[in-house]
């Protein structure tokens, strides 16, 4: 028989197993909830927020712990509570899967989490971290990836008044910026920001533009040395994506249109590249498969973040050798990061000395 002890603190919610009889499982599943507070209100074309709820999963055996993370996102119908509920529903089964390869662990859990890939992401990340820690390896070494030529991460400037956006750019001098757009003043924003830096610009409209608007904007944005446009149209506008793909003078990168593995092939010949989010696709295991598939299709590859703490950001770092571009600035936007792991200086990512994904919870 097994009981559950529910503990609550100001910062976290923890579910732990209290053993009443002889131990019959191998991993402890610990869930913690945090509220990540942002330095500035973060606004995109469809949303605005000052804090980001996140769920941290710890999978623990007698010697090691592995950590994973997934933030909530109303746009995708995901809350912290439904992640907790879905994990607890099969917690005993999850705890018994400690002798599998990470790829097999993912496959075992996928049937239970088809409708909650965010929860699967946190579990997959935690298990992959635990597995590689037990192997005494960093994750990129386990994957046999060469980190010598990793791309730099951009820093994101959220939508605000033009003076505020200029101030945030000056507050964080950086070699690459991603500029959130989707307003009536988009071109004016980029023109003004360009006056203050020679850095690389990328723009993300978060589904906020039309086909004709995208094609026209691309011409002027190219003159302003913008590198690419991310997700200009609504996610399911495949006819529109095809028209933009054929006529845009700038590369178009899919985000909302490329959520899971099946979407990679759909995006081929509709986008020039894909931006993979770990939470949307179910974690590191599936993200790696998506990136490898995109590279075979000669598409550009990118991974983005969802304002995660350093746990989620450190996981992204191990995919860098597979990427052309990366947006992993989430922890830099926070006032209360909850973990130690990778560090970022002027766009350059430095790994921690720890094995696995290389994180410790503060």
């Amino acid at each position: 028989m097994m009981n559950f002890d529910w503990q609550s603190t100001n910062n976290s919610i923890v579910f732990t197993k209290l053993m009443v009889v002889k131990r019959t499982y191998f991993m402890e599943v610990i869930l913690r909830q945090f509220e990540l507070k942002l330095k500035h209100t973060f606004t995109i074309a469809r949303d605005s927020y000052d804090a980001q709820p996140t769920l941290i999963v710890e999978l623990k055996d007698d010697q090691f712990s592995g950590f994973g993370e997934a933030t909530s996102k109303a746009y995708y119908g995901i809350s912290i509570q439904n992640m907790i509920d879905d994990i607890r529903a099969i917690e005993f089964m999850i705890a018994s899967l400690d002798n599998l390869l990470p790829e097999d662990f993912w496959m075992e859990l996928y049937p239970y989490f088809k409708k909650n890939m965010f929860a699967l992401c946190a579990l997959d990340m935690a298990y992959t971290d635990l597995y590689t820690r037990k192997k005494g390896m960093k994750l990129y070494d386990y994957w046999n990836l060469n980190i010598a030529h990793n791309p730099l991460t951009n820093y994101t400037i959220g939508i605000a008044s033009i003076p505020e956006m200029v101030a945030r750019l000056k507050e964080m001098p950086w070699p690459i910026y991603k500029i959130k757009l989707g307003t009536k003043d988009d071109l004016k924003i980029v023109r003004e920001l360009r006056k203050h830096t020679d850095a690389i610009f990328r723009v993300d409209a978060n589904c906020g533009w039309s086909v004709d608007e995208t094609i026209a904007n691309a011409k002027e944005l190219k003159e302003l040395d913008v590198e690419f446009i991310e997700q200009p149209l609504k996610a399911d506008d495949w006819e529109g994506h095809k028209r933009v793909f054929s006529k845009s003078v700038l590369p178009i990168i899919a985000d909302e249109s490329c959520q899971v593995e099946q979407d990679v092939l759909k995006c081929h010949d509709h986008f020039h590249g894909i931006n993979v989010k770990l939470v949307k696709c179910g974690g590191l295991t599936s993200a790696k498969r998506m990136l490898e598939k995109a590279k075979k299709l000669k598409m550009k590859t990118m991974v983005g973040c969802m304002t995660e703490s350093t746990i989620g950001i450190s996981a992204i770092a191990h995919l860098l050798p597979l990427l052309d571009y990366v947006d992993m600035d989430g922890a830099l936007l926070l006032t209360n990061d909850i973990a130690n792991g990778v560090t970022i200086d002027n766009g350059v990512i430095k790994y921690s000395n720890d094995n696995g994904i290389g994180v410790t919870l503060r």
Side-chain angles (χ1 to χ4, degrees):
M1 179 179 177
M2 185 177 295
N3 292 331
F4 291 93
D5 178 36
W6 180 79
Q7 305 172 24
S8 178
T9 69
N10 288 335
N11 290 322
S12 64
I13 296 173
V14 184
F15 295 96
T16 56
K17 296 190 179 68
L18 298 179
M19 298 312 301
V20 180
V21 296
K22 183 178 179 180
R23 179 174 175 167
T24 58
Y25 68 97
F26 301 98
M27 293 186 297
E28 187 175 4
V29 181
I30 303 171
L31 307 180
R32 297 180 176 91
Q33 178 181 347
F34 295 90
E35 188 91 345
L36 304 176
K37 297 178 182 178
L38 281 79
K39 295 175 182 176
H40 302 289
T41 299
F42 192 78
T43 300
I44 64 174
R46 62 169 178 267
D47 196 11
S48 184
Y49 54 97
D50 297 297
Q52 174 61 67
T54 195
L55 178 69
I56 305 300
V57 172
E58 179 182 0
L59 297 180
K60 183 177 182 180
D61 67 9
D62 289 334
Q63 292 183 285
F64 298 95
S65 285
F67 295 94
E69 178 173 17
T71 57
S72 63
K73 194 60 64 175
Y75 178 80
Y76 297 102
I78 299 297
S79 68
I80 299 298
Q81 191 59 54
N82 64 33
M83 285 193 278
I84 290 171
D85 291 345
D86 287 349
I87 291 170
R88 292 189 70 206
I90 59 163
E91 188 171 0
F92 186 82
M93 190 272 279
I94 294 168
S96 70
L97 298 176
D98 74 329
N99 289 318
L100 300 179
L101 294 171
E103 298 82 357
D104 294 332
F105 178 84
W106 193 95
M107 291 302 295
E108 287 288 333
L109 291 188
Y110 174 70
Y112 300 94
F113 291 98
K114 288 180 181 179
K115 296 183 179 180
N116 196 337
M117 300 295 270
F118 283 55
L120 179 56
C121 168
L123 289 164
D124 170 80
M125 193 184 297
Y127 186 82
T128 302
D129 184 30
L130 175 63
Y131 183 87
T132 45
R133 284 182 196 238
K134 290 165 71 172
K135 289 282 187 183
M137 304 174 71
K138 290 180 169 59
L139 178 55
Y140 62 75
D141 283 329
Y142 172 70
W143 282 337
N144 197 30
L145 296 176
N146 181 0
I147 63 170
H149 304 289
N150 285 350
L152 304 182
T153 182
N154 60 229
Y155 183 83
T156 304
I157 307 293
I159 295 172
S161 70
I162 292 178
E164 286 178 289
M165 294 178 78
V166 170
R168 291 175 192 177
L169 182 145
K170 291 181 175 180
E171 178 184 291
M172 184 66 80
W174 211 254
I176 310 171
Y177 293 100
K178 183 159 87 168
I179 304 162
K180 292 291 189 176
L181 300 177
T183 78
K184 59 182 176 59
D185 293 321
D186 286 341
L187 295 177
K188 184 178 178 182
I189 288 169
V190 180
R191 286 191 211 108
E192 187 60 34
L193 293 177
R194 177 51 77 204
K195 295 177 184 178
H196 300 277
T197 180
D198 292 326
I200 295 170
F201 281 177
R202 300 160 178 172
V203 303
D204 182 2
N206 285 112
C207 310
W209 292 349
S210 68
V211 171
D212 291 339
E213 190 177 11
T214 303
I215 294 168
N217 285 352
K219 293 175 182 177
E220 182 157 355
L221 292 172
K222 184 177 182 180
E223 295 299 314
L224 292 166
D225 292 325
V226 169
E227 188 174 28
F228 63 72
I229 299 169
E230 187 177 333
Q231 195 68 47
L233 310 183
K234 292 182 179 178
D236 59 356
D237 185 3
W238 292 100
E239 182 180 343
H241 298 319
K242 186 71 172 179
R243 288 173 57 200
V244 168
F245 174 77
S246 65
K247 294 184 178 181
S248 173
V249 297
L250 286 177
I252 307 296
I253 307 298
D255 180 0
E256 285 87 345
S257 294
C258 192
Q259 297 184 34
V260 295
E261 292 181 60
Q262 300 93 312
D263 294 333
V264 177
L265 189 57
K266 288 171 64 177
C267 287
H268 186 239
D269 289 335
H270 289 78
F271 293 89
H272 300 89
I274 60 168
N275 181 7
V276 175
K277 302 286 180 65
L278 302 189
V279 290
K280 293 192 289 188
C281 72
L284 286 160
T285 298
S286 49
K288 182 171 179 283
R289 290 196 297 257
M290 290 175 73
L291 296 167
E292 290 170 340
K293 184 179 293 186
K295 291 178 83 68
K296 287 180 181 178
L297 294 169
K298 308 298 183 186
M299 300 176 75
K300 293 292 186 180
T301 54
M302 179 178 179
V303 167
C305 61
M306 303 282 272
T307 325
E308 294 97 334
S309 76
T310 287
I311 291 176
I313 299 303
S314 295
I316 291 172
H318 294 267
L319 293 165
L320 286 171
L322 298 174
L323 305 182
D324 296 297
Y325 320 114
V326 68
D327 173 16
M328 50 184 292
D329 63 346
L332 298 175
L333 306 177
L334 304 176
T335 64
N336 64 331
D337 195 4
I338 57 172
N340 298 314
V342 300
T343 56
I344 304 174
D345 182 18
N346 202 37
V348 178
I349 294 90
K350 182 180 179 182
Y351 297 87
S352 78
N353 293 323
D354 294 328
N355 289 323
I357 65 172
V359 297
T360 54
L361 193 63
R362 293 178 184 172

